[in-house]
Amino acid sequence: MDEKYSPGSFCREINCPEHEALESLEEEAYLEKKKNHCQDCTAWRFFLWLEQRNFRVIRTIDEVPAKELAARLKGIDPSTVEHLTIEEILCL
C-alpha cells in the first residue's frame, strides 16, 4: 500500500496494489472476487462487520447555512441571492 489504512478510507484512496485485480469487475462479480481476494484487508473486514450487523457507512459534509443550501437546491449561485430570504429563494 502506498499509504497506511485509516478507518473510513477506501482501497483507491490508499492506492492498494491488491485493488488493481478488481478494477475491471462490477457489482456482484466485484463483491464475489473481493470476498476471497481481500480477506486479510482491514478495510474489507470492517465493511463485512458492518454488513453483518446491518450498519451503513454515511459520509457527512460540513454544515451549510440554510440560505446557501436553499440557493444550491434551486441551482443558484448563493452570492447572487444573499439579499433574499430563504422563502424568496425557494420561490424562484
Side-chain angles (χ1 to χ4, degrees), residues 24-55:
S24 63
L25 303 174
E26 293 184 11
E27 299 176 15
E28 289 302 315
Y30 173 87
L31 291 174
E32 281 304 312
K33 180 152 187 167
K34 191 159 181 75
K35 284 178 184 175
N36 294 321
H37 192 70
C38 299
Q39 61 186 335
D40 296 329
C41 173
T42 305
W44 182 243
R45 287 195 315 239
F46 178 64
F47 176 79
L48 292 176
W49 182 88
L50 291 173
E51 188 178 58
Q52 291 167 355
R53 288 155 181 81
N54 293 321
F55 291 139

